[in-house]
Amino acid sequence: QVQLVESGGGLVQAGGSLRLSCAASGRTFSMGWFRQAPGKEREFVAAISWSGFNPVYADSVKGRLTISRDNAKNTVYLQMNSLKPEDTAVYYCAAGPRVGASTSEYNYWGQGTQVTVSS
């Protein structure tokens, strides 16, 4: 059983930056970030394999958000720059056997951290 704990969320003005972290209680393979805005379904943001090569991103965040990981610390990060009000959501990290954009591909989930971007 792997436990995931997110941190780093908060309130930021449009154009600002935040860095989310997700600490895992054990070794994980592929890691992903998803987000869920009020009244909307959870959507894919970014994912990264164990090696860290070729991360994948949702089109809506390409060029603004960057996923990375530190395997020695069992931690994955999401650097968020040039934030927009539409980025407002609860952000969840997830762990699974392979990189994917579907929630069904991940076995473990964190509790989420709120990101609010004001205009």
Side-chain angles (χ1 to χ4, degrees):
Q1 187 79 3
V2 175
Q3 293 184 330
L4 305 174
V5 179
E6 302 98 334
S7 61
L11 173 64
V12 64
Q13 289 187 333
S17 298
L18 281 175
R19 188 194 195 203
L20 305 184
S21 299
C22 174
S25 61
R27 177 174 174 168
T28 58
F29 294 93
S30 294
M31 298 289 292
W33 284 98
F34 289 76
R35 66 187 181 186
Q36 189 167 17
K40 295 187 177 181
E41 293 187 353
R42 193 168 297 188
E43 65 174 3
F44 171 74
V45 174
I48 190 167
S49 63
W50 169 257
S51 69
F53 292 124
N54 298 321
V56 294
Y57 297 92
D59 288 343
S60 59
V61 306
K62 283 181 180 177
R64 300 188 299 116
L65 275 58
T66 303
I67 189 171
S68 61
R69 67 188 298 163
D70 184 338
N71 292 335
K73 296 182 179 179
N74 289 330
T75 300
V76 65
Y77 305 96
L78 187 68
Q79 177 67 44
M80 304 191 294
N81 299 327
S82 302
L83 283 164
K84 304 175 181 180
E86 51 263 45
D87 294 317
T88 295
V90 177
Y91 283 71
Y92 298 89
C93 72
R98 65 187 65 83
V99 171
S102 172
T103 57
S104 63
E105 297 182 81
Y106 295 87
N107 307 112
Y108 303 103
W109 291 84
Q111 82 289 348
T113 185
Q114 176 71 46
V115 171
T116 303
V117 184
S118 63
S119 58

